[in-house]
Amino acid sequence: LEDFALRFTAKSARRWSFYRVAITALGSTAFMALEAIGGSITLSYGFTNAVSAILAVAALLFITGVPISYYGAKYGVDIDLLTRGAGFGYLGSTITSLIYASFTFIFFALEAAIMSMALELLLGIPLYIGYAISAFIVMPLVTHGITYISRFQVWTQPVWIVLQLMPLLYVFNHPDSSLREWTEFTGDAGEMGGGFNILLFGSASAVLLSLVAQIGEQVDFLRFLPPKPTASSPLKWWIAMIMAGPGWIIFGAGKLFLGSFLAYLALKQGVSRELASDPAHMYQVAFGFLFNNTTLTIVIATVFVIISQLKINVTNAYAGSIAWSNFFSRLTHSHPGRVVWLVFNV
């Protein structure tokens, strides 16, 4: 692994601060597919099984993410080189690049679909047009590379945090938001969802385990973490590595729980079962507790969704372009450029 690092690492690129790496990497956890997944498994399998699955999978993803993040940050290499250096071999790392690439474009599509729902909600744009807008708007943000993406993540992070926290201060204090009723929610499973059921727990866990490949996107940012200091305390390095790497699931689990609650609340507020797990409608309900004006509520909710989706999809598009580049360069022994694979991925 160290040999690969010495041969392939672009040392001039690894000059980011600990703060910049952590903020940039955590910016990729803004994706609202987490709320959608948390809401979906709760509506399907009930609170108890959904929460059990979230806790179990979060622990698994954190534990497995630590060594991957550590070696990615230490040697400044991506998942492709990590798998080669770890003994997967030429063919093995090619296959993992394909698996990783499939993760990036599937979640790119999910996030773009959520953004399209928000555009339809605010502007009445038909979904098929919204899909195209939500996909192609990302490309100019990604063609300039990781440095531009990092700036975008850092600049938008304060706005995103404010919009994320604003409605929650009111939602959890509202008379209609009964936490006890949420914990007793059985979902579509009915009586089976009233308590722990191994089949429902397994079904919910299977959905959540699709998130396991997210660690690859975190490593794409951890490559730029400055070397661990030897003369001074390495505590700052470890904090940045944990936050930017496996720590994503700590924030991610919070968003899964939030999606679980907001989906239940949306259902209680009269949103249809089909739309209750859609983040655009979730946050329309949430911001509705904050603003009395319906138009303002929809505008703020839509702006929040758009910012969130752009923050994750610039990462999906960038990581996907690298993964496709690694995969096809092995098969064709040619490299037309990352932007070609960016367009292909989108």
Side-chain angles (χ1 to χ4, degrees):
L1 180 61
E2 189 167 6
D3 178 55
F4 275 110
L6 290 173
R7 288 163 57 193
F8 292 107
T9 299
K11 296 185 182 298
S12 62
R14 300 186 71 206
R15 294 176 179 172
W16 291 9
S17 66
F18 295 114
Y19 167 81
R20 183 177 174 186
V21 170
I23 292 298
T24 301
L26 287 177
S28 66
T29 65
F31 59 116
M32 286 188 170
L34 290 172
E35 281 96 333
I37 292 173
S40 179
I41 61 175
T42 301
L43 295 176
S44 297
Y45 309 118
F47 170 86
T48 301
N49 296 292
V51 168
S52 300
I54 292 171
L55 293 174
V57 172
L60 178 66
L61 297 191
F62 185 88
I63 293 169
T64 57
V66 170
I68 296 172
S69 300
Y70 173 78
Y71 286 106
K74 181 178 180 180
Y75 294 114
V77 291
D78 61 10
I79 285 294
D80 176 64
L81 294 178
L82 275 175
T83 52
R84 288 183 67 184
F88 282 56
Y90 187 87
L91 178 61
S93 63
T94 302
I95 294 173
T96 55
S97 291
L98 176 61
I99 295 171
Y100 181 36
S102 70
F103 168 86
T104 63
F105 78 71
I106 290 171
F107 272 83
F108 182 96
L110 287 173
E111 304 299 342
I114 292 171
M115 183 171 165
S116 301
M117 289 289 286
L119 292 176
E120 182 186 47
L121 189 65
L122 175 63
L123 302 174
I125 297 175
L127 283 177
Y128 69 94
I129 297 177
Y131 293 149
I133 294 173
S134 301
F136 291 125
I137 197 174
V138 172
M139 292 174 64
L141 299 173
V142 183
T143 52
H144 292 81
I146 191 66
T147 301
Y148 191 85
I149 292 172
S150 172
R151 291 172 183 165
F152 174 77
Q153 296 285 22
V154 171
W155 292 341
T156 55
Q157 193 72 359
V159 179
W160 178 81
I161 290 176
V162 170
L163 291 176
Q164 177 73 75
L165 296 179
M166 273 175 55
L168 303 186
L169 299 175
Y170 290 85
V171 165
F172 289 106
N173 292 312
H174 196 274
D176 290 342
S177 57
S178 173
L179 295 179
R180 182 183 59 80
E181 292 181 6
W182 172 45
T183 59
E184 296 174 352
F185 183 68
T186 61
D188 298 337
E191 292 184 5
M192 291 179 63
F196 181 82
N197 181 289
I198 189 66
L199 295 178
L200 299 181
F201 166 79
S203 299
S205 298
V207 176
L208 292 170
L209 282 170
S210 64
L211 299 170
V212 69
Q214 177 62 30
I215 196 63
E217 294 193 357
Q218 304 308 117
V219 170
D220 281 336
F221 293 119
L222 281 170
R223 292 182 298 142
F224 303 102
L225 192 68
K228 184 166 60 175
T230 54
S232 59
S233 172
L235 180 61
K236 187 185 295 185
W237 186 90
W238 279 100
I239 292 175
M241 189 276 289
I242 293 295
M243 286 184 62
W248 84 266
I249 193 56
I250 297 176
F251 298 91
K255 287 171 71 65
L256 287 166
F257 282 122
L258 181 60
S260 171
F261 176 76
L262 290 179
Y264 157 76
L265 186 62
L267 196 66
K268 186 179 178 182
Q269 293 296 312
V271 178
S272 69
R273 169 66 177 82
E274 292 74 19
L275 297 176
S277 60
D278 170 56
H281 290 82
M282 286 183 187
Y283 281 99
Q284 182 186 1
V285 172
F287 281 106
F289 290 123
L290 182 60
F291 303 109
N292 292 324
N293 188 297
T294 303
T295 302
L296 180 61
T297 297
I298 295 176
V299 170
I300 297 296
T302 303
V303 169
F304 176 53
V305 171
I306 290 173
I307 291 175
S308 298
Q309 302 318 92
L310 288 178
K311 283 173 74 64
I312 180 56
N313 262 355
V314 294
T315 304
N316 282 329
Y318 174 78
S321 68
I322 294 176
W324 284 121
S325 175
N326 291 333
F327 175 72
F328 281 109
S329 64
R330 303 284 177 80
L331 293 183
T332 63
H333 301 286
S334 65
H335 185 64
R338 186 182 61 81
V339 174
V340 172
W341 303 119
L342 165 65
V343 176
F344 175 79
N345 195 57
V346 171

